[in-house]
Amino acid sequence: MKKWALRAIGVYILFGILMYVYLFHIASSTIPHSLKGTSMDPATFLTKRQLVLSQDYSRIRNLLFFLSTPYEWLFYFLILILGCSRAFEKWAVNTSRFQVIQSAVYLFWLSLVSFIATYPFGYVSYRFSKAYQMSNQTFGEWMKDQVIDFWVNYLLMFIVVAVLYGLMRKFKKRWWLPAWLLSIPFTITVMFVQPVVIDPLYNHFYPLQDKALETKILALANKAHIPANHVYEVDMSSKTNSLNAYVTGIGSNARIVLWDTTLKQLNDREILFIMAHEMGHYVEHHIYYGLAGYSLLTLLGLWLTANIMRWTIQKNNGRFKVSEVSNLSSLPLFLLITSVLLFAVSPITNGVSRYEETRADSYALKTTHDKKAAVQTFQDLTRSGLSQVNPPFLVKFFRYDHPTMLDRIHMVEQYPLKK
């Protein structure tokens, strides 16, 4: 077991070194020479200091992204082969004879250890955000959000784990099918309650104070047939300097939300373009296409996970200290496999998302007829987020679910507005 643990750690360290070399010494984020001096050239709308900061901050964020995902895999692998998962299961079984309580106890210990193990990544990310003036949170405020995250994720995971392992015990080989069927209403329920139950745990939402702007936004919403009577403002300036706006929820719980940072840093024309973009997702039915795509991927993913888990446990029973798939101690293996599968399919899901974002940009242009505001919006988003206009290939391939700012501005410049 020590050899397997050391090998896994060694592979992770080697991967980290290779990603560091790629991001800091090999990959290029410069724009093509033919675009120098255009609206796509960051040198035309960023100061020299902002150019340096955006390059450095983006590299750090990208490195943390590529290190954190395999670190999660390493964590689950070590939890399995070192016998920690088996120990958590014994504590759970000794606590109660009721399987629901056993699931709660086991998941608490696994979640707690996972929180402690991944805390350094979160803290480093927080410190860099503070250093580059992206975060306005005090350490206490940041920790409060981490604690809320822990309990929200624990509650959702408890529901999933209790149901999932109940199905595993009842349907030994085909548990993945009823699990998939139940995942659909569960996902829809979470989407329905998130705007009114989960989101307010983190931030304070209140009606938009600028009523003239609200009237303009609701006029756009009316054209898009969005059932909204109010626009909400959320206090994000106490946490970040980044900009954002979104339309969330489904049915009667649909909400139009603007960050107060967006209201402070952008003019009305830019805000209306952003809101038209968000409404474009609604008009294009992206939420329903997303649900359909998610359901299909979940079906395939659960089927693959079930087969991989069964094969892995049969071949590595002694090594992983898990005798059956339905044992609670197999949960880290389930999470490891699903995490790897999600990462493997991310280039496809990112590609689909980038296409949808382009469609939403197109809808916003068609609705507002304001190319100048669109270009200014993308430039301001780049500036506020210290992001790269043209990120390296692997970053775009695995991380970007939006088109690059270079692609978005280029699309705007080439978009044929009808007179």
Side-chain angles (χ1 to χ4, degrees), residues 52 99 149 215 222 265 271 284 296 380:
V52 173
Q99 293 175 340
D149 265 345
T215 300
N222 184 54
Q265 297 184 44
I271 292 172
E284 296 273 345
L296 289 175
D380 287 339

Side-chain angles (χ1 to χ4, degrees), residues 393-405:
F393 172 75
L394 288 181
V395 175
K396 177 181 177 180
F397 193 63
F398 284 104
R399 190 175 182 208
Y400 269 51
D401 56 4
H402 282 59
T404 66
M405 289 303 179

